[in-house]
Amino acid sequence: MPRINSSKYESEIIDAYEVDDQYDSFKKDKFKCPECNVQIQFNRGINAIDPHFKNWPKKSHLSNCEILKIHKQHNKGNNNDIEVLISTILPRAERLQKLNSIEKIRKARNRYFGKRSKQFLNSLTSISYEELKNLTIRTENKTTVKIIDLIMRQDEIINKLNSNDESFVCILKGYTTKAVEIGENIKIPMTFGGKYGNSQKFDLFIPSSYKSKNDKNINKIESKLIYCYGLPEKNEYGSKIDLFSITHQIAIIER
């Protein structure tokens, strides 16, 4: 039966890693499937290193549950990387953008740009394009999207930012260059022009408050083909994705 990375808890969608980190703070019988609302249970996984949600004993997802349908459609061979991808529920970008307190912002960054996103990116780099191109996942607002449609080049991201006022979660695919200090902050420009095929500038941006957390990993991602998971935005300085954790938001694509 399907396992998923998120659960409905009271009126909120929560991540399995968050439950794992604060296990005693939750009522264990209150977890529900975000899609069909059936009761599910938290499990720490083998050796307590793989937190997730699974079926409550003797309870099954409803037959019209889209999460159940996705699992039946895509994971017939019990491929662990495919299971990680399709069990991920994509967060609503607009909710992440409208958080109005430092504590809520911190929780959201830990939840959506943390251990789970790294696991997702690692699985993304581990399967072939042929396997990937038809895989779908659900979002918090109960729509189904193709994973391949989340992977975007910087020109595609910029064009979408220019044509749509709504924020969105995506996975940038592209080549990085050398990091540059901008005051107390750091930006890592993406390549553009010529053989790279992108006509517009785009940066990965590390705010000063996250500089010390990422310092030791910056050189590891310079001049690399990468996936970067995040929320793109555009301001007076250009288009960018903020990096809060290189470890959890970026995966190097081996060639």
Side-chain angles (χ1 to χ4, degrees):
M1 298 305 290
R3 47 179 281 171
I4 50 178
N5 72 302
S6 300
S7 166
K8 182 189 292 184
Y9 184 80
E10 297 177 343
S11 60
E12 189 177 11
I13 302 293
I14 58 171
D15 180 78
Y17 280 105
E18 183 180 0
V19 176
D20 193 42
D21 290 340
Q22 305 174 52
Y23 186 73
D24 293 331
S25 301
F26 294 92
K27 298 174 183 177
K28 308 309 181 294
D29 61 347
K30 298 297 182 183
F31 301 124
K32 295 182 179 180
C33 171
E35 191 73 34
C36 66
N37 223 38
V38 73
Q39 186 179 24
I40 56 178
Q41 66 174 328
F42 173 76
N43 188 286
R44 283 196 158 115
I46 297 173
N47 297 323
I49 58 171
D50 183 25
H52 59 274
F53 298 97
K54 66 177 188 178
N55 281 28
W56 189 270
K58 299 182 180 180
K59 289 191 177 182
S60 300
H61 290 264
L62 301 184
S63 59
N64 63 348
C65 177
E66 292 297 327
I67 291 173
L68 180 64
K69 291 179 183 179
I70 287 172
H71 277 258
K72 285 182 176 180
Q73 178 182 355
H74 294 306
N75 205 27
K76 298 174 182 178
N78 293 317
N79 182 308
N80 183 66
D81 289 311
I82 290 177
E83 183 177 48
V84 167
L85 294 176
I86 64 176
S87 66
T88 299
I89 297 175
L90 202 69
R92 293 194 302 270
E94 62 270 22
R95 178 163 66 78
L96 301 185
Q97 292 251 349
K98 292 177 181 178
L99 298 174
N100 56 10
S101 76
I102 293 175
E103 178 61 19
K104 288 181 179 180
I105 291 171
R106 183 194 65 78
K107 283 181 66 177
R109 287 173 180 169
N110 287 341
R111 181 181 298 170
Y112 296 115
F113 305 121
K115 296 174 184 176
R116 181 65 188 194
S117 59
K118 182 61 177 177
Q119 190 180 24
F120 183 91
L121 289 172
N122 284 343
S123 291
L124 197 62
T125 61
S126 298
I127 66 174
S128 68
Y129 178 81
E130 286 303 310
E131 291 175 303
L132 180 64
K133 66 181 182 180
N134 293 317
L135 295 183
T136 58
I137 59 175
R138 292 291 279 178
T139 69
E140 282 187 8
N141 56 348
K142 298 187 177 181
T143 59
T144 299
V145 296
K146 283 189 174 183
I147 294 176
I148 205 74
D149 291 339
L150 300 174
I151 302 172
M152 306 174 75
R153 298 285 187 173
Q154 63 213 53
D155 277 5
E156 295 174 302
I157 292 173
I158 293 169
N159 291 340
K160 187 170 180 177
L161 286 170
N162 288 338
S163 63
N164 194 339
D165 290 334
E166 292 185 3
S167 57
F168 56 95
V169 175
C170 73
I171 300 163
L172 167 67
K173 182 180 181 181
Y175 287 92
T176 59
T177 62
K178 293 290 185 180
V180 180
E181 290 194 17
I182 306 294
E184 296 295 319
N185 310 298
I186 292 176
K187 76 173 183 179
I188 304 171
M190 306 300 293
T191 56
F192 75 99
K195 64 179 181 179
Y196 299 107
N198 292 300
S199 62
Q200 302 175 78
K201 294 181 179 180
F202 195 94
D203 298 318
L204 306 181
F205 187 81
I206 303 175
S208 58
S209 55
Y210 287 86
K211 185 176 175 181
S212 61
K213 179 180 180 179
N214 291 287
D215 256 348
K216 293 181 180 179
N217 289 319
I218 291 173
N219 66 331
K220 297 177 183 178
I221 64 167
E222 292 177 316
S223 304
K224 295 289 195 301
L225 177 62
I226 61 148
Y227 285 134
C228 177
Y229 176 83
L231 246 67
E233 61 178 294
K234 188 174 183 179
N235 57 29
E236 64 268 32
Y237 302 108
S239 302
K240 67 183 178 76
I241 287 178
D242 282 345
L243 284 183
F244 309 112
S245 171
I246 289 174
T247 298
H248 298 114
Q249 283 180 257
I250 287 187
I252 295 171
I253 304 171
E254 301 294 342
R255 302 194 68 190

